[in-house]
Amino acid sequence: MPATTTTTSTRDAWRTLSVVSLASVLTGLSGSAINVALPEIARHTGAGATAASWILLGYQLTTTVLMVVFGRLADLFGRRRMYLLGLATYTLAALLAGLAPNAWMIVFMRVLQAVGGAMLLTNSAALISDAFPRERLGEGMGVYVASFSIAGLIGPTLGGVLAESLGWRWVFWFNVPFGLLCLLWGVLVLPRPTPGEREGGLDGPGNVLVLATLGGLLLALSEFTRLGWDHPLVFGGLAAFLVGLPLFLVRESRAAHPVVDLGLFRERAFAFGTLASFLNAVARMGMVFLIALYFQAVRGDEPVQAGLKVLPLAIAAMIGSVSSGFLQRLTSARTLAVAGAATTTCGLVVMLCVMSSDTPYAAVAIGLVLIGLGSGVFLPSNTTAILDGLPSNRLGIVNAMRLMLQNTGNVVGTGLVLSIITAPLPAALHQSVFAGTLAQLSGGAVEQLVTGYRWALGCMAAISVLTVLSCLARRKAT
């Protein structure tokens, strides 16, 4: 290939990466800011424990359910079009969320925002994999994942400052100018698809079954600890999953253009790689929220203080993400994924060992740094290992399958953490936990919450060990 052509191709790849990274910073900032500002939002909107938790869970559940659907639609209608539509939807929903009169309207707008977020997440890694040559893909993926770390670095402090200084509505409104800037830049630089690169065919019944089956499962997992297995909502979700799953498997095995390519899971490397994504998400999901809430509900800190104290995780994750791309020149992405998962496990064990109502901050920071470094190395390395070598017209759906399982892990992890940390407390005190005011009550309630934190961290550490085992099994399968 002539030097000028290579230079042009590389320039276009980095321009594509700039759009994807800016949008990733946007979504990451919003998520991490809400994690820290949630107690402030709950106080000012009068949100109960259910509404407060659904401000987080509603976004994650919706994004997860729509991943595969949008992955298939992107392969069919074009990733550029889907990505720009996602940016527009996300930005509009942020504007409307800031205008919401109550907590449940915020939940509704977060669901709409999640529709846009699903379009973005489904296509981000696929756009990068399409744009970068193989020898530079690790670098591109590392910078992409680092963009979430940058958001994690700024978001907690930003969320605390906005909530305290300008009011909780600005936790949503700051997205609007940023989103419009990303949308304009995307229109200008995202490459238009070349003719003939898209697959034909859309499996309508398969998409409906995905929504019903996965949505029912995630709804049941999110609500069973609060409502119980016999509640109609939980029972209905489980029934939708149990009835829908065999119907979905039969449909996909016969469809000409299936939503989910079940044959991919017969490849052990892909199966263990996506399993590792799921387990890693369950193990580490919610750490920013979990620790920010710890400093507010247990230690009595203000949101800005809590946001500053979780910065070591984001800084370490950013360093790990950027480094992973260059480290892939020295060793394989699969080896780095094992190392990253093991480091995350070590960090969770440290957090478990030091957790108390008066843990020295230095000890917490060490655990956060290890978790951040491990996650920063694992995510881009594991993504590269899964997507490497796939044809362009399959990147969207395969990346969507990876993200679906990863985001299912996020929902399961968040629901698990929220349920476990409040389990030792009386139900009447759960709202005080989410409002960050539990530290103002008796010491006995605080110690009960700390017990819940130990249970949650122990569970997360055990799941992280399974992530390491999955990564090792993937290496042996190739």
Side-chain angles (χ1 to χ4, degrees), residues 150-176:
I150 293 171
L153 180 64
I154 302 170
T157 304
L158 180 65
V161 169
L162 289 174
E164 283 190 10
S165 303
L166 299 177
W168 66 265
R169 297 182 190 276
W170 283 96
V171 176
F172 300 101
W173 282 342
F174 85 88
N175 291 270
V176 177

Side-chain angles (χ1 to χ4, degrees), residues 304-378:
V304 173
Q305 293 175 290
L308 290 171
K309 287 180 177 179
V310 298
L311 288 183
L313 188 149
I315 294 172
M318 181 174 61
I319 293 171
S321 299
V322 174
S323 301
S324 69
F326 298 98
L327 290 173
Q328 285 181 40
R329 296 182 179 181
L330 305 176
T331 187
S332 70
R334 291 169 181 174
T335 299
L336 287 173
V338 175
T343 305
T344 297
T345 304
C346 292
L348 289 167
V349 170
V350 168
M351 294 293 290
L352 172 62
C353 293
V354 304
M355 178 53 59
S356 70
S357 58
D358 57 355
T359 303
Y361 177 68
V364 175
I366 290 172
L368 291 176
V369 167
L370 288 172
I371 294 169
L373 279 175
S375 298
V377 170
F378 173 84

Side-chain angles (χ1 to χ4, degrees), residues 31-40 43 56 152 155-160 164 284-313 351 355 361 364 368 371 417-418 421 432-439 449 453 457 460:
S32 56
I34 290 172
N35 281 339
V36 173
L38 184 62
E40 193 79 8
R43 281 196 294 269
L56 300 179
T157 304
L158 180 65
E164 283 190 10
R284 65 174 174 77
M285 183 57 200
M287 277 306 299
V288 170
F289 168 71
L290 196 65
I291 301 305
L293 186 64
Y294 164 80
F295 283 115
Q296 293 178 74
V298 175
R299 306 292 283 270
D301 290 347
E302 294 298 320
V304 173
Q305 293 175 290
L308 290 171
K309 287 180 177 179
V310 298
L311 288 183
L313 188 149
M351 294 293 290
M355 178 53 59
Y361 177 68
V364 175
L368 291 176
I371 294 169
V417 164
L418 294 178
I421 64 172
S432 298
V433 174
F434 292 108
T437 58
L438 191 71
L449 181 59
Y453 265 80
L457 288 166
M460 294 162 77

Side-chain angles (χ1 to χ4, degrees), residues 17 20-22 24-25 27-28 121 124-125 128 137-153 280 284 313-325 328 372-384 387 399 402-403 406:
L17 178 62
V20 171
S21 296
L22 279 172
S24 299
V25 170
T27 56
L121 284 171
S124 295
I128 295 170
L137 179 57
E139 295 173 36
M141 206 64 73
V143 173
Y144 161 60
V145 175
S147 64
F148 289 101
S149 302
I150 293 171
L153 180 64
N280 178 262
R284 65 174 174 77
L313 188 149
I315 294 172
M318 181 174 61
I319 293 171
S321 299
V322 174
S323 301
S324 69
Q328 285 181 40
L373 279 175
S375 298
V377 170
F378 173 84
L379 286 172
S381 302
N382 193 58
T383 302
T384 300
L387 298 182
N399 186 54
R402 175 189 70 85
L403 284 168
Q406 180 176 304

Side-chain angles (χ1 to χ4, degrees), residues 63-79:
T63 304
T64 304
V65 168
L66 293 177
M67 281 288 180
V68 175
V69 175
F70 285 142
R72 184 63 185 148
L73 289 173
D75 283 338
L76 186 61
F77 297 112
R79 281 186 279 280

